């Protein structure tokens, strides 16, 4: 009960952070021509925003399930909720790592590295992912997610990759991507090897999945 209560509080805090950060970036407040500026629904094209929305939904669903356990209305949190939480945590972790190790050295050279952590981006790229990882590994320890279900955690990234590649390939003129469509710069390595870039990102995503799954599981068994 103690762990469930802490997990519930952690997920409520995380949900509030996600709503706050998403509302902030979509409002356009404090936008200064940075790499993620795009008020209203324009912001939904970014994996950063989408992954944080997913994490917010997962946190809310988990909090409801944990509340039911605390009130004696359910014996345990449903397995599908645990998988959803894993998927959300994996997605925002990927967001944070891509920002630090890829966008920082590339887009950061134009806008400045710390512009990627300015205003709402501070929450979307750092605070929210770190909070999600902390709650998942500290308070949501579980050995109830079987290995066979771990590939489901990369499904959001797969779907986004399909969207991103399809949209970008539709906007190629004279062998180059039109301005404004390769916003992450993944096609900078060459249009013909987009599949390799996607493959590497998906492998990294699954590596994150296995690491978080293992740490969460090992803590549950310790």
């Amino acid at each position: 009960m103690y762990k469930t209560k802490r997990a519930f509080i952690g997920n409520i805090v995380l949900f509030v952070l996600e709503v706050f950060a998403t509302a902030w970036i979509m409002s356009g407040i404090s936008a200064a021509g940075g790499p993620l500026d795009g008020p209203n629904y324009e912001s939904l094209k970014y994996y950063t925003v989408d992954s944080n929305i997913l994490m917010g939904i997962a946190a809310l669903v988990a909090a409801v399930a944990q509340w039911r356990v605390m009130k004696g209305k359910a014996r345990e949190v449903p397995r599908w909720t645990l998988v959803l939480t894993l998927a959300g945590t994996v997605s925002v972790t990927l967001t944070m790592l891509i920002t630090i190790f890829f966008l920082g050295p590339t887009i950061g050279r134009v806008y400045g590295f710390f512009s990627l952590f300015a205003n709402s981006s501070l929450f979307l790229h750092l605070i929210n992912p770190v909070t999600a990882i902390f709650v998942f590994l500290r308070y949501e320890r579980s050995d109830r997610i079987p290995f066979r279900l771990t590939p489901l955690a990369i499904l959001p990234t797969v779907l986004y990759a399909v969207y991103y590649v399809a949209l970008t390939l539709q906007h190629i003129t004279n062998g180059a991507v039109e301005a404004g469509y390769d916003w992450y710069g993944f096609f900078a390595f060459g249009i013909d090897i987009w599949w390799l870039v996607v493959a590497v990102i998906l492998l990294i995503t699954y590596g994150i999945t296995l690491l978080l799954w293992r740490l969460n599981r090992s803590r549950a068994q310790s």
Side-chain angles (χ1 to χ4, degrees), residues 45-103:
K45 72 180 183 180
Y46 297 117
Y47 182 87
T48 289
V49 177
D50 297 340
S51 63
N52 275 272
I53 290 176
L54 173 63
M55 188 68 252
I57 293 173
L60 179 60
V61 170
V64 171
Q66 289 153 1
W67 175 261
R68 286 177 54 81
V69 172
M70 291 165 56
K71 292 301 179 179
K73 296 181 179 181
R75 188 174 65 86
E76 59 186 7
V77 174
R79 178 176 291 175
W80 68 266
T81 301
L82 301 177
V83 175
L84 178 62
T85 302
L86 174 61
T89 307
V90 167
S91 298
V92 293
T93 300
L94 179 65
T95 287
M96 180 177 65
L97 295 179
I98 287 292
T99 300
I100 295 173
F101 296 107
F102 179 74
L103 298 182

Side-chain angles (χ1 to χ4, degrees), residues 1-16 55-70 76-77 81-82 85 89 131-142 144 216:
M1 181 63 69
Y2 178 76
K3 185 177 72 170
T4 301
K5 182 178 180 180
R6 287 295 183 93
F8 169 76
I9 295 173
N11 277 306
I12 290 297
V13 170
L14 181 56
F15 173 71
V16 171
M55 188 68 252
I57 293 173
L60 179 60
V61 170
V64 171
Q66 289 153 1
W67 175 261
R68 286 177 54 81
V69 172
M70 291 165 56
E76 59 186 7
V77 174
T81 301
L82 301 177
T85 302
T89 307
T131 302
I133 294 170
F134 177 79
V135 173
F136 184 68
L137 296 183
R138 182 68 179 86
Y139 301 126
E140 297 182 303
R141 305 171 188 174
S142 175
R144 294 176 50 228
N216 178 273

Side-chain angles (χ1 to χ4, degrees), residues 164-181:
Y164 190 91
V165 171
L167 181 66
T168 306
L169 291 179
Q170 290 176 7
H171 294 86
I172 294 178
T173 302
N174 297 324
V177 179
E178 298 173 11
Y181 287 97

